[in-house]
């Protein structure tokens, strides 16, 4: 039996603590945690709850709307990245002026009885999501309490 | 003359750990509902730190059939120059599977049913939250389609995924 041939080298080589595997493991763990933490901190969200009591299938709203604020976002074929922003008849050149307008408007969106008038975001189908999120973002920042997305009314369901 | 013939385990342990890390990450990606999306930016976005465990994720991503290059979508230095307006390129994906609008409606009804009460024959609104993760350059039409499907399923807790830009 080959017994004594490696004895000497074992004694001299493996007596001291080998740090390499531990360092490897620590690096692996570091890489794993760095990756996972990075993924988690990337994203946020904007709450945009649909009206609970009047879904898409409900009947049309018959209550008179006293005052409606509608942010219209229009698409133009010639400049697809430039969104035309309108509130009523007034056109806004950029998002900052819309923000100032909405900030000035927010108090008038609460009636004396405490009801909150929602701001409707009415965007063309082709508008990039970023523009709609900009409008939503501005409403949140300006302190608007309720925002809704305007929906195109389709033909009444067949009975 | 025989010198150190001792078995060096270090490379093997390295490889085993590499495999473990790879498998852990790969498994995570297979289960997680998120897709690679360039989310729209919004500084009023709240951090998504403790999402509801029951939350249902709908991704709207740009995917060209056959992995060909999109003739419309153009980025220069990471900045969008021209959006893609081809309907078929914007797909609705749930857990890696592309769904049509009727399929999405059915799915939302099923998912909504897991957290709602029934009063007699009528359904009450579902408390199941739905997050829409849409690419910032996607047409708004896709979001309205998801909102319509959610409305039909009486799912009302909608969250729109957004990226909070880093503060200066």
């Amino acid at each position: 039996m080959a017994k004594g041939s490696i004895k000497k080298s074992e004694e001299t080589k493996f007596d001291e603590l080998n740090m390499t595997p531990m360092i490897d493991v620590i690096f692996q763990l570091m890489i794993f945690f760095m990756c996972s933490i990075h993924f988690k901190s990337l994203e946020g969200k904007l709450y945009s709850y649909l009206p609970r009591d009047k879904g898409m299938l409900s009947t049309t709203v018959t209550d008179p709307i006293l005052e409606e604020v509608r942010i219209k976002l229009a698409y133009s074929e010639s400049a697809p990245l430039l969104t035309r922003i309108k509130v009523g008849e007034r056109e806004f050149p950029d998002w900052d002026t819309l923000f100032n307008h909405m900030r000035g408007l927010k108090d008038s969106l609460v009636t004396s009885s405490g009801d909150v008038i929602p701001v409707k975001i009415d965007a063309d189908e082709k508008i990039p999501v970023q523009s709609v999120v900009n409008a939503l973002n501005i409403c949140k920042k300006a302190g608007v309490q309720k925002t809704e997305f305007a929906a195109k009314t389709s033909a009444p369901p067949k009975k | 003359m025989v010198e150190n013939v001792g078995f060096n385990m270090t490379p093997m342990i390295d490889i085993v750990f590499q495999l473990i890390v790879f498998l852990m990450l790969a498994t995570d990606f297979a289960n997680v509902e998120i897709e690679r999306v360039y989310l729209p930016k919004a500084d009023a976005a709240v951090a998504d730190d403790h999402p509801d465990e029951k939350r249902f994720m709908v991704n709207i991503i740009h995917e060209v059939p056959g992995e060909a290059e999109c003739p419309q979508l153009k980025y220069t230095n990471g900045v969008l120059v021209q959006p893609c307006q081809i309907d078929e390129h914007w797909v609705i994906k749930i857990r890696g599977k592309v769904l049509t609008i009727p399929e999405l409606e059915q799915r939302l009804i099923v998912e909504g049913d897991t957290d709602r009460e029934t009063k007699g024959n009528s359904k009450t609104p579902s408390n199941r939250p739905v997050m829409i993760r849409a690419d910032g350059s996607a047409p708004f039409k896709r979001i309205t389609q998801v909102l319509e499907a959610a409305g039909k399923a009486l799912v009302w807790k909608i969250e729109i995924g957004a990226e909070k830009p880093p503060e200066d």
Side-chain angles (χ1 to χ4, degrees):
Chain A
M1 292 292 236
K3 192 178 164 188
S5 56
I6 59 168
K7 199 179 174 187
K8 196 181 174 188
S9 59
E10 270 178 353
E11 277 170 5
T12 52
K13 273 273 173 191
F14 297 109
D15 273 354
E16 55 197 68
L17 200 57
N18 189 359
M19 297 291 280
T20 323
M22 199 189 76
I23 293 167
D24 286 345
V25 170
I26 288 168
F27 270 106
Q28 296 286 355
L29 285 171
M30 262 175 67
I31 291 169
F32 172 71
F33 284 117
M34 279 164 77
C35 286
S36 57
I37 287 166
H38 184 62
F39 287 140
K40 276 205 152 183
S41 62
L42 261 176
E43 296 184 4
K45 62 190 173 188
L46 291 168
Y47 289 107
S48 180
Y49 288 176
L50 296 174
R52 237 188 118 169
D53 51 343
K54 43 171 184 173
M56 301 293 287
L57 293 178
S58 65
T59 52
T60 51
V61 182
T62 50
D63 298 338
I65 297 167
L66 299 172
E67 205 177 330
E68 188 185 78
V69 178
R70 187 177 279 254
I71 303 174
K72 174 92 183 119
L73 305 175
Y75 178 81
S76 97
E77 291 286 349
S78 55
L81 289 177
L82 282 178
T83 304
R84 288 182 61 203
I85 314 157
K86 278 174 97 173
V87 176
E89 288 305 306
R90 188 175 160 195
E91 191 155 347
F92 293 86
D94 51 37
W95 296 107
D96 288 339
T97 45
L98 177 69
F99 172 66
N100 291 333
H101 179 72
M102 295 310 293
R103 206 169 44 176
L105 207 69
K106 68 159 186 181
D107 290 333
S108 61
L109 293 172
V110 183
T111 60
S112 52
S113 56
D115 294 333
V116 179
I117 301 166
V119 170
K120 280 195 176 160
I121 299 173
D122 183 0
D124 281 356
E125 283 187 340
K126 288 184 172 181
I127 285 285
V129 170
Q130 177 67 66
S131 298
V132 180
V133 168
N134 281 348
L136 202 57
N137 189 41
I138 278 169
C139 289
K140 300 265 179 214
K141 277 204 299 182
V144 173
Q145 293 182 36
K146 250 188 186 178
T147 44
E148 288 181 359
F149 292 113
K152 288 201 170 42
T153 46
S154 51
K158 287 172 189 171
K159 288 185 179 173
Chain B
M1 194 169 85
V2 181
E3 281 191 11
N4 183 18
V5 289
F7 219 73
N8 189 358
M9 298 290 279
T10 320
M12 200 190 78
I13 293 167
D14 283 352
I15 288 168
V16 169
F17 271 104
Q18 293 282 3
L19 283 171
I20 289 171
V21 169
F22 170 73
L23 289 173
M24 280 167 80
L25 288 175
T27 315
D28 197 26
F29 283 129
N31 287 331
V32 157
E33 301 158 307
I34 57 170
E35 297 279 342
R36 182 79 180 90
V37 169
Y38 296 101
L39 289 176
K41 290 176 177 58
D43 47 11
V46 291
D48 192 27
D49 286 339
H50 305 288
D52 194 321
E53 282 176 9
K54 294 176 289 179
R55 185 172 72 180
F56 186 64
M57 192 90 81
V58 179
N59 298 282
I60 299 171
I61 61 165
H62 185 260
E63 209 170 77
V64 185
E67 294 181 7
E69 203 172 309
C70 178
Q72 290 191 0
L73 191 68
K74 280 195 184 95
Y75 283 92
T76 306
N77 298 329
V79 179
L80 181 72
V81 180
Q82 193 187 329
C84 168
Q85 292 290 353
I86 303 168
D87 259 4
E88 296 78 50
H89 289 187
W90 292 104
V91 295
I92 295 171
K93 251 185 167 183
I94 291 167
R95 289 180 188 263
K97 198 182 165 205
V98 177
L99 295 190
T100 61
I101 302 300
E103 284 170 344
L104 175 72
E105 283 172 9
Q106 280 307 310
R107 186 71 189 267
L108 282 173
I109 290 170
V110 172
E111 297 290 340
D113 283 348
T114 58
D115 193 4
R116 84 167 101 229
E117 297 158 19
T118 43
K119 281 182 185 168
N121 288 330
S122 61
K123 283 181 176 177
T124 57
S126 171
N127 287 321
R128 190 92 195 258
V130 171
M131 181 181 234
I132 305 175
R133 290 178 78 252
D135 197 294
S137 62
F140 183 57
K141 182 184 179 180
R142 279 279 179 260
I143 290 226
T144 51
Q145 285 170 331
V146 178
L147 290 178
E148 275 179 33
K152 284 181 186 171
L154 295 176
V155 170
W156 62 284
K157 282 187 177 174
I158 305 288
E159 297 165 1
I160 294 182
E163 188 186 321
K164 197 172 173 130
E167 285 167 28
D168 297 325

